[in-house]
């Protein structure tokens, strides 16, 4: 994955990170945290009928230059560019979302990262209960606390399963294996997610931004704020959306 326009300094400025940069786990954790809190998961271009480009330079222009967010291919693609600039080994994996009532294809893009001799799952572009820090792949069936969320990796039939503790129950989020995939392999899934009438991204706004103790979520006209174990919900009017996006998601609507 090559982007002629990617600049690590510009990326760090975009996510608000001013710390030291090294090819180590501490840097990966810090960059993941800062990007999650500054770059929202969002499908606004899909709803506007704009094509979602998998060209790395287009991703840089959208997220870094224009201060936008994106969905998994864009957000994890940007993080992969940062890892690459740091000289950290990574690969894409194709994950199958598991929270639908019927079996779905492997349309989600996640990252496996090898740093300090250990493999980790990194994922900044999952719109549901996404992890908040790298998860060590070899640690299975062990709850891992990340801020106010709890996750666990398990293995079933050769696949690794990401689970999140939701209201006291383990909810399966997605499955994946270590088989590497190429960037171009996500082109069909990107087209389906951005154009198919049954895809969740083509139906209503879905915007998520992580905070220090939870996340802000806009889905359709429902706005939810999760702060620790406190959840507040309200319905927003159409004329409120632009102000809400700016205040809680750091997004400015484009023409």
């Amino acid at each position: 994955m090559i982007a002629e326009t990617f600049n690590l300094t510009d990326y760090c400025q975009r996510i608000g990170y001013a710390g030291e940069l090294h090819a180590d786990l501490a840097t990966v954790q810090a960059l993941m945290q800062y990007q999650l809190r500054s770059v929202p998961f969002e499908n606004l271009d899909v709803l506007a009928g704009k094509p979602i480009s998998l060209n790395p330079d287009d991703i840089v222009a959208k997220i870094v230059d224009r201060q936008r967010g994106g969905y998994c291919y864009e957000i994890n693609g940007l993080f992969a560019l940062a890892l690459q600039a740091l000289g950290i080994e990574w690969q894409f994996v194709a994950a199958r979302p598991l929270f639908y009532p019927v079996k779905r294809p492997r349309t989600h893009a996640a990252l496996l990262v090898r740093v300090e001799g250990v493999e980790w799952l990194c994922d900044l572009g999952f719109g549901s209960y996404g992890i908040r820090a790298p998860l060590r792949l070899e640690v299975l069936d062990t709850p891992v606390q990340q801020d106010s969320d709890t996750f666990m990796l398990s293995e079933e039939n050769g696949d690794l399963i990401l689970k999140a503790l939701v209201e006291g129950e383990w909810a399966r989020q997605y499955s994946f294996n270590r088989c590497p995939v190429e960037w171009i392999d996500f082109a069909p899934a990107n087209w389906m997610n951005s154009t198919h009438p049954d895809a969740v991204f083509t139906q209503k706004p879905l915007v998520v931004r992580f905070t220090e103790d939870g996340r802000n979520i806009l889905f359709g006209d429902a706005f939810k704020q999760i702060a620790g174990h406190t959840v507040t919900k309200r319905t927003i009017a159409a004329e409120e959306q632009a102000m809400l996006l700016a205040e809680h998601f750091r997004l400015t609507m484009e023409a």
Side-chain angles (χ1 to χ4, degrees):
M1 187 178 184
I2 299 173
E4 295 181 359
T5 57
F6 181 84
N7 179 280
L8 196 54
T9 299
D10 293 342
Y11 166 80
C12 288
Q13 184 176 15
R14 168 68 176 93
I15 67 173
Y17 179 73
E20 295 185 359
L21 294 169
H22 304 285
D24 59 15
L25 179 61
T27 299
V28 173
Q29 290 175 323
L31 293 181
M32 182 172 175
Q33 180 185 72
Y34 274 80
Q35 184 177 320
L36 280 170
R37 295 177 185 176
S38 59
V39 178
F41 180 99
E42 52 109 334
N43 67 332
L44 301 181
D45 277 1
V46 173
L47 293 177
K50 299 178 181 179
I52 304 301
S53 175
L54 293 187
N55 181 295
D57 288 308
D58 291 340
I59 292 172
V60 172
K62 179 179 179 179
I63 300 179
V64 177
D65 300 339
R66 289 159 44 209
Q67 305 282 302
R68 286 288 306 280
Y71 60 5
C72 66
Y73 316 113
E74 301 165 290
I75 294 176
N76 281 329
L78 181 69
F79 194 65
L81 291 171
L83 295 174
Q84 193 165 284
L86 288 169
I88 293 174
E89 183 181 347
W90 61 272
Q91 69 175 61
F92 285 117
V93 292
R96 186 190 311 279
L98 297 176
F99 49 79
Y100 292 100
V102 297
K103 192 171 186 178
R104 298 291 292 266
R106 297 178 184 267
T107 56
H108 177 60
L111 294 164
L112 297 190
V113 178
R114 178 174 287 276
V115 60
E116 298 177 2
V118 177
E119 275 191 305
W120 303 80
L121 171 67
C122 289
D123 190 356
L124 298 81
F126 193 59
S128 182
Y129 284 87
I131 58 176
R132 306 175 71 88
L135 273 181
R136 191 166 180 162
L137 289 193
E138 65 186 30
V139 178
L140 301 178
D141 302 316
T142 303
V144 177
Q145 188 79 23
Q146 295 184 347
D147 298 330
S148 57
D149 290 328
T150 306
F151 301 95
M152 182 167 64
L153 286 173
S154 298
E155 189 169 2
E156 298 178 16
N157 301 317
D159 274 357
L160 291 168
I161 311 293
L162 175 67
K163 301 175 182 178
L165 193 62
V166 181
E167 297 180 356
E169 301 287 338
W170 286 110
R172 290 157 35 112
Q173 300 302 298
Y174 58 76
S175 65
F176 64 96
N177 56 46
R178 288 179 169 85
C179 179
V181 297
E182 299 293 332
W183 182 235
I184 191 63
D185 293 331
F186 291 113
N190 178 50
W191 180 83
M192 186 193 79
N193 277 328
S194 60
T195 64
H196 197 287
D198 292 337
V200 65
F201 304 111
T202 66
Q203 298 177 24
K204 59 182 69 175
L206 174 55
V207 190
V208 181
R209 186 178 69 82
F210 283 70
T211 62
E212 289 187 7
D213 57 352
R215 55 179 66 81
N216 297 327
I217 303 170
L218 174 65
F219 187 48
D221 63 355
F223 177 53
K224 180 191 296 187
Q225 289 182 286
I226 302 172
H229 299 291
T230 300
V231 179
T232 59
K233 303 177 183 179
R234 69 180 178 92
T235 301
I236 67 164
E239 58 269 21
E240 291 183 81
Q241 188 182 87
M243 183 175 64
L244 185 88
L245 290 172
E247 180 179 355
H248 295 286
F249 300 96
R250 303 176 183 174
L251 285 173
T252 300
M253 294 291 288
E254 294 183 344

